[in-house]
Amino acid sequence: AQSVSQHNHHVILSEAASLELGCNYSYGGTVNLFWYVQYPGQHLQLLLKYFSGDPLVKGIKGFEAEFIKSKFSFNLRKPSVQWSDTAEYFCAIRGSQGNLIFGKGTKLSVKP
Amino acid sequence: SAVISQKPSRDICQRGTSLTIQCQVDSQVTMMFWYRQQPGQSLTLIATANQGSEATYESGFVIDKFPISRPNLTFSTLTVSNMSPEDSSIYLCSVEATWTSGMEQFFGPGTRLTVL
């Protein structure tokens, strides 16, 4: 069965620090991978997605993620975080029915 | 993008009662999904609701507890029946849409349910 694991439950950073959130998935076939963000009081929004091609994917708000097939990973990165990046981040893989299978999420708190 | 609205946005219900959650999409979509997000947890798929066919439920979820309707390509309802405090969660509707840039899944704002 497909699954997604996110290593960090809660990450606390100061503004301008670099960010990397880990995501690993289990599935041996072709994968569609996503990162979603949920700002406080708002609904889920897509940050970026990987279907095929260039394994380095650029998303909105300066986020990027790298698909490393050999490591079954899809880590999210941002060179310099802002206070407004405080949110919960979810990694997900597309399931066989078209649904998304989510990791447990990582809460990011950015201190001004 | 697909814009999704849900009603109600939140509710507080008594044990043993039922609540029906509505999901409305601003465009016609084939695939709709219902998820649950329990406090401090990630999203878990309840069922897939495709128009014209019976909903497909995930392990641990049954039709008697979570009946779903999908009368057309823009609307669906999820009922949480005979509620208990363990049903307190955020319930989210989502749809899949395909663009030139590929498939994307959009989420509604969620319905925050508290069962006393």
Side-chain angles (χ1 to χ4, degrees), chain B residues 8 13 20 27 37 45 62 65-66 80 100:
Chain B
C13 300
T20 295
S27 56
Q37 186 176 20
L45 180 69
V62 295
K65 176 68 174 178
F66 297 102
V80 186
T100 52

Side-chain angles (χ1 to χ4, degrees), chain A residues 17-44:
Chain A
S18 64
L19 169 72
E20 181 160 3
L21 301 182
C23 172
N24 285 94
Y25 64 92
S26 65
Y27 183 61
T30 302
V31 291
N32 299 149
L33 293 159
F34 307 81
W35 276 98
Y36 281 82
V37 61
Q38 189 169 32
Y39 297 103
Q42 297 188 27
H43 58 277
L44 282 165

Side-chain angles (χ1 to χ4, degrees), chain B residues 11 59 99 108 113-114:
Chain B
D11 207 340
S59 176
W99 315 108
L113 170 62
T114 302

Side-chain angles (χ1 to χ4, degrees), chain B residues 30-48:
Chain B
T30 301
M31 303 186 76
M32 294 181 79
F33 307 93
W34 286 97
Y35 292 85
R36 180 173 74 181
Q37 186 176 20
Q38 292 181 300
Q41 303 288 321
S42 185
L43 285 82
T44 302
L45 180 69
I46 297 171
T48 301

Side-chain angles (χ1 to χ4, degrees), chain B residues 89-111:
Chain B
S89 285
I90 298 174
Y91 291 85
L92 298 109
C93 168
S94 78
V95 302
E96 181 179 270
T98 302
W99 315 108
T100 52
S101 61
M103 183 278 295
E104 187 169 332
Q105 201 164 109
F106 298 91
F107 287 83
T111 295

Side-chain angles (χ1 to χ4, degrees), chain B residues 4-7 20-25 29-34 47-51 55 67-79 93-95:
Chain B
I4 303 170
S5 59
Q6 286 186 234
K7 289 182 183 178
T20 295
I21 302 168
Q22 298 179 7
C23 175
Q24 180 76 52
V25 190
V29 293
T30 301
M31 303 186 76
M32 294 181 79
F33 307 93
W34 286 97
T48 301
N50 293 335
Q51 196 267 339
I68 287 172
S69 77
R70 182 80 200 273
N72 57 52
L73 291 174
T74 63
F75 187 78
S76 178
T77 66
L78 169 76
T79 299
C93 168
S94 78
V95 302

Side-chain angles (χ1 to χ4, degrees), chain A residues 73-107:
Chain A
S73 70
F74 189 57
N75 292 353
L76 181 71
R77 300 195 292 248
K78 185 171 185 179
S80 175
V81 295
Q82 302 171 323
W83 176 79
S84 58
D85 293 322
T86 294
E88 189 155 16
Y89 294 80
F90 294 93
C91 182
I93 187 171
R94 187 169 186 258
S96 57
Q97 297 182 68
N99 59 294
L100 294 182
I101 300 164
F102 287 87
K104 291 188 182 295
T106 298
K107 286 187 180 176

